[in-house]
Amino acid sequence: MATDPKAAPPKPSNFLRGIIERDLETGAHAGRRFGGTPGDAAHHRAGPPDPARIRTRFPPEPNGYLHVGHAKSICLNFGLAQDYGGVCHLRFDDTNPEKEEQEFVDAIIEAVHWLGFDWNAGGTSHLYYASDYFDFMYRAAEALVQAGLAYVDEQSAEAMRETRGDFNTPGTASPFRGRTPAENLARLREMRDGRLADGAAVLRAKIDMASPNINLRDPTIYRIKRATHHATGDRWCIYPMYTYAHPIEDALENITHSICTLEFEDQRPFYDWVLERLADLGLLARPLPRQYEFGRLNLSYVVTSKRKLRELVGEGIVEGWDDPRMPTIFGMRRRGYTPSSIRALADGSGASKTNIWLDYAVLDGCLRADLEGSAPRAMAVLDPVRLAITNWAELYGSADHLEPCHAPAHPQRPELGQREFKLGPEVWIERDDYAEAPPKGFFRLYPGNKVRLKYGLVVECTGAERDAAGRLVRVLARALPDTRSGTPGADAVKVKGTITWVGVADALAATVVLYDRLFTEAQPDAGGRDFRSVLNPRSKVVVEAWIEPALAGCAREHHVQFERHGYFVTDRVTHRADRPVFNRVTTLRDGWA
Ligand code: ATP
Ligand code: MG
């Protein structure tokens, strides 16, 4: 599989690429120095010129598993850095002490790596934790207080809400807004030292209570919250708000282009306010990071909200975060989507100023495009019934004779070699390759019709046996002499149908899981609908199948195209060499339209 992101085709331009190209041309971020690690203005000023032409970052909150929307953001941020001689940082935005866990940190690291990206550049690992910046964030808060740019507000939460105003009404000043810097500083230190109860006070930026942008009406920048943080433990009982922390994280890391989703557009003025003030105060180095917003990626037939994904897992609707029907990166991986198919989905969807909906079929198309040229082929019979060749002994002199057959591992790639299997007096075929009374256009097995057993020989159907209940138990046929594939004159007998098969004598038993979309509606949660009401009852169908012997002993996460059936992968959890389990990633064609 092509997992080298650099091997991908050139990406279409988009507004972010336009901005970066313009910035590189005008030298907007030139002259930056980089202290080798994140740090304040003095730290970076002492360093050499930043070797990275741009810096981007992917900043997940470690409070859940990443999904396809995050994959979009990963590909965008890491991809832009790669394309423009930059570096992309992986930063855990772990400023909220309550919901974050090490398990998610580990899973995120693994997912980003698996997608093919790395945060090492020039021997430095740019993997960061926002919680490492708590000291600086607090120092910056004191500086804002001392400059008269922040104050401790001890109004109740309700009063704060009420005095904020709304779209039509300007806010009104808090009675605490006029405190002196010295009073505020003393109070802030009391907050920090645990002398105030949770919720008793907050630190607010002092901006403009009448601003038409409600986010600028003295937003909260610190709150009191006694909670044990996964990295800093009980060291802090005050925590910075995301909107204050995020611009600081970007600036400390020398980020040039801080790319986020559209819902943060209204926060951009505050992002700039924080950075400009702290740069004026000499704490942060200029030029400062700039925030750019792009539209979210939504995929049809899935839900991506973390809450809804958690419900799917918690209620047992799926079998875990990595259930192959989940749009999590781990789910998609286990299902068999390759890193390059996910990157192709992300890159192909560009970046625009509106949220986009991509049809799930696009992802399947990307997977087929990735695997068509690389996945080895094999035959598998998913709904098996026996086909008996009744003149076998007559033809080969013995009922035990097995005729060796071979086929290319890949039709366009002879260098991948041949697969070997044996044709005998009984083979497994698909149940629906036989019809007593053939519908119009049916060219497979029915009494009197001839078909080719692919890579084998031509047989003529003579009938079938059914059990008392009428269920098909055996299809009967006679083989035609001198029709062996690859022998002279084999094509003298013309047939309209070719069917896939595996030999009863040498087939391997395998469990095959036919995965399909989890929901029957493109937008399962549209208009507030409960997604539980539109679950696809056939999203997971387990069958016991027969597969080609060449697949014996294959490893986990091995991709294969089962001829006629689609792309499959050995399950990365349940597959065993002696008990194969294959997941269907997708069929060969889109059957949903
Ligand atoms: P969710 O809302 O699904 O829980 P989130 O935004 O809370 O996701 P974060 O961990 O904060 O999750 O996201 C990390 C990054 O991924 C952010 O920069 C965010 O904007 C981006 N991101 C999340 N979902 C999408 C999406 N659907 N499309 C593009 N980017 C996304
Ligand atoms: Mg978020």
Side-chain angles (χ1 to χ4, degrees):
M1 254 113 283
T3 48
D4 177 7
K6 293 180 196 81
K11 294 165 198 165
S13 195
N14 60 51
F15 82 98
L16 292 170
R17 301 176 78 87
I19 286 166
I20 293 171
E21 284 162 19
R22 190 201 59 208
D23 285 349
L24 289 173
E25 230 173 81
T26 62
H29 301 277
R32 288 171 311 119
R33 309 185 79 81
F34 187 60
T37 50
D40 63 6
H43 173 78
H44 286 311
R45 218 178 288 123
D50 193 336
R53 295 176 78 210
I54 62 167
R55 284 184 192 270
T56 56
R57 84 284 173 270
F58 173 63
E61 201 182 336
N63 63 353
Y65 286 87
L66 300 182
H67 55 63
V68 62
H70 296 117
K72 165 77 201 174
S73 178
I74 293 168
C75 294
L76 192 60
N77 281 294
F78 281 92
L80 287 170
Q82 255 167 14
D83 293 348
Y84 293 101
V87 172
C88 181
H89 299 185
L90 175 60
R91 178 203 309 148
F92 289 102
D93 211 325
D94 60 352
T95 52
N96 180 354
E98 290 161 299
K99 294 182 285 181
E100 292 146 4
E101 287 174 34
Q102 188 61 38
E103 174 196 350
F104 299 129
V105 168
D106 297 339
I108 289 169
I109 288 177
E110 194 181 341
V112 178
H113 261 152
W114 177 77
L115 274 175
F117 297 106
D118 204 301
W119 40 90
N120 288 294
T124 307
S125 165
H126 295 287
L127 170 69
Y128 300 116
Y129 292 84
S131 57
D132 285 338
Y133 312 144
F134 280 160
D135 283 322
F136 179 88
M137 288 170 188
Y138 179 76
R139 174 155 72 97
E142 285 207 350
L144 291 174
V145 164
Q146 282 166 315
L149 294 168
Y151 61 99
V152 173
D153 193 348
E154 296 176 49
Q155 292 184 97
S156 68
E158 300 83 80
M160 252 182 272
R161 231 185 338 270
E162 279 159 21
T163 53
R164 179 156 291 149
D166 57 29
F167 189 70
N168 300 308
T169 332
T172 47
S174 159
F176 297 92
R177 200 172 195 262
R179 278 175 156 170
T180 65
E183 279 174 293
N184 280 313
L185 187 61
R187 213 61 183 139
L188 174 60
R189 289 180 176 168
E190 285 171 19
M191 282 172 63
R192 177 200 60 190
D193 295 340
R195 312 245 306 270
L196 298 180
D198 281 14
V202 294
L203 183 68
R204 295 176 77 173
K206 191 170 180 178
I207 309 179
D208 178 5
M209 287 306 290
S211 172
N213 182 340
I214 295 177
N215 297 303
L216 290 181
R217 294 182 188 171
D218 292 7
T220 298
I221 61 182
Y222 261 96
R223 64 195 171 124
I224 308 172
K225 179 88 221 170
R226 284 168 178 77
T228 304
H229 186 277
H230 82 118
T232 58
D234 294 321
R235 201 171 142 231
W236 296 93
C237 65
I238 58 171
Y239 289 96
M241 303 301 286
Y242 178 84
T243 49
Y244 168 73
H246 202 84
I248 292 178
E249 295 158 22
D250 285 342
L252 293 175
E253 293 180 21
N254 241 14
I255 299 302
T256 55
H257 299 82
S258 176
I259 298 165
C260 61
T261 38
L262 282 180
E263 68 273 21
F264 293 103
E265 192 162 13
D266 290 347
Q267 293 288 353
R268 187 176 355 116
F270 183 57
Y271 182 98
D272 291 336
W273 186 94
V274 171
L275 295 184
E276 289 294 342
R277 298 293 94 71
L278 294 177
D280 288 346
L281 292 168
L283 292 179
L284 294 177
R286 293 182 192 274
L288 295 165
R290 301 295 306 263
Q291 173 181 302
Y292 301 97
E293 310 86 17
F294 74 101
R296 279 184 175 252
L297 172 84
N298 298 294
L299 200 56
S300 65
Y301 296 96
V302 305
V303 293
T304 49
S305 120
K306 273 180 203 152
R307 177 177 61 79
K308 289 172 185 167
L309 294 175
R310 204 173 295 124
E311 286 170 7
L312 287 171
V313 175
E315 294 171 22
I317 295 168
V318 296
E319 288 158 42
W321 287 98
D322 67 344
D323 184 298
R325 295 163 293 180
M326 289 282 274
T328 53
I329 295 180
F330 279 96
M332 292 192 290
R333 174 180 183 179
R334 191 167 169 197
R335 169 79 164 262
Y337 292 104
T338 56
S340 57
S341 67
I342 297 172
R343 289 196 306 263
L345 177 87
D347 293 344
S349 68
S352 69
K353 275 289 191 184
T354 46
N355 293 328
I356 54 161
W357 276 92
L358 275 192
D359 196 276
Y360 198 88
V362 177
L363 176 60
D364 285 338
C366 291
L367 190 272
R368 293 184 196 112
D370 183 27
L371 292 186
E372 164 61 28
S374 62
R377 304 322 200 230
M379 290 195 286
V381 177
L382 304 184
D383 184 12
V385 69
R386 279 169 201 265
L387 171 82
I389 302 177
T390 51
N391 61 337
W392 188 261
E394 198 180 305
L395 208 59
Y396 288 105
S398 154
D400 300 328
H401 175 78
L402 294 176
E403 187 63 8
C405 300
H406 56 84
H410 189 286
Q412 281 88 45
R413 300 188 52 190
E415 75 278 12
L416 296 182
Q418 298 279 316
R419 29 194 252 256
E420 315 279 338
F421 42 88
K422 295 204 167 65
L423 182 60
E426 280 201 315
V427 300
W428 296 111
I429 60 166
E430 296 291 346
R431 186 169 293 276
D432 67 4
D433 279 346
Y434 175 78
E436 218 102 80
K440 201 168 155 29
F442 184 90
F443 298 122
R444 290 165 281 160
L445 292 163
Y446 57 87
N449 195 41
K450 300 186 188 77
V451 301
R452 174 169 293 281
L453 298 179
K454 198 169 186 186
Y455 314 115
L457 42 61
V458 174
V459 297
E460 177 174 349
C461 181
T462 54
E465 296 167 1
R466 293 183 180 271
D467 64 15
R471 189 172 156 83
L472 187 65
V473 286
R474 217 156 72 118
V475 178
L476 306 172
R478 290 176 60 80
L480 275 63
D482 306 322
T483 58
R484 261 295 306 283
S485 299
T487 60
D491 293 332
V493 180
K494 295 290 175 215
V495 294
K496 280 193 172 164
T498 298
I499 63 170
T500 45
W501 57 277
V502 289
V504 167
D506 66 353
L508 297 177
T511 299
V512 174
V513 193
L514 304 172
Y515 286 111
D516 204 342
R517 296 169 188 190
L518 186 54
F519 299 101
T520 54
E521 292 291 328
Q523 297 191 17
D525 45 7
R529 171 173 51 207
D530 184 352
F531 58 78
R532 293 167 193 78
S533 66
V534 290
L535 288 167
N536 174 8
R538 294 185 56 81
S539 63
K540 176 180 182 180
V541 174
V542 183
V543 300
E544 292 307 319
W546 293 105
I547 63 174
E548 248 180 63
L551 290 169
C554 64
R556 288 180 177 169
E557 297 196 83
H558 175 79
H559 284 88
V560 52
Q561 185 200 100
F562 285 147
E563 301 190 27
R564 296 168 76 198
H565 291 300
Y567 291 100
F568 293 72
V569 69
T570 48
D571 191 280
R572 68 185 289 251
V573 178
T574 57
H575 173 80
R576 293 203 332 233
D578 60 345
R579 193 70 197 93
V581 180
F582 283 84
N583 298 332
R584 180 173 68 194
V585 201
T586 184
T587 52
L588 291 178
R589 258 163 249 100
D590 183 23
W592 271 72

